[in-house]
Amino acid sequence: MQAVRLVDTSDMPREEWLRHRQRGIGGSDIAACAGMHPWSTPLDVWLHKTGKGKPKEETESMMFGRKLEGFVVQEFAERHPEWRAEKVDAIL
């Protein structure tokens, strides 16, 4: 099955990426929606997606997580050759 690329994010500024990301539920939102996130709730997700919540400033942990995404994907792919894993610069 081929994923549908909705938006190419390869050279997109962070603010524009955040606006696009606000239009749907992403991997970072799933745990909160399921009530399993230690720092976020389903209400927090709803407030953020509807523009009613306070904007989150990028923390140092968030910045490092973003910068290390490629490394994490590569490491996962090496540990799990039975699965296909790749970093995609797009909103799917």
Side-chain angles (χ1 to χ4, degrees):
M1 176 196 245
Q2 184 68 29
V4 176
R5 292 174 184 243
L6 300 174
V7 180
D8 180 2
T9 60
S10 53
D11 293 316
M12 186 177 287
R14 178 168 161 58
E15 291 303 316
E16 185 178 349
W17 173 78
L18 288 171
R19 281 194 303 277
H20 283 288
R21 189 175 176 276
Q22 189 173 4
R23 297 176 60 201
I25 301 296
S28 301
D29 304 316
I30 298 299
C33 290
M36 300 173 67
H37 194 289
W39 302 289
S40 188
T41 68
L43 178 59
D44 293 328
V45 174
W46 181 83
L47 289 169
H48 175 70
K49 299 298 179 179
T50 59
K52 294 173 173 47
K54 291 188 249 175
K56 285 186 180 176
E57 295 296 320
E58 185 176 46
T59 65
E60 187 174 61
S61 295
M62 292 163 68
M63 181 268 302
F64 277 113
R66 182 174 42 79
K67 289 186 175 211
L68 291 170
E69 283 178 356
F71 170 78
V72 171
V73 170
Q74 181 181 354
E75 184 65 25
F76 180 87
E78 288 175 13
R79 292 180 185 210
H80 298 281
E82 71 277 13
W83 293 16
R84 180 175 166 216
E86 62 184 271
K87 183 176 183 318
V88 178
D89 291 325
I91 293 176
L92 307 176

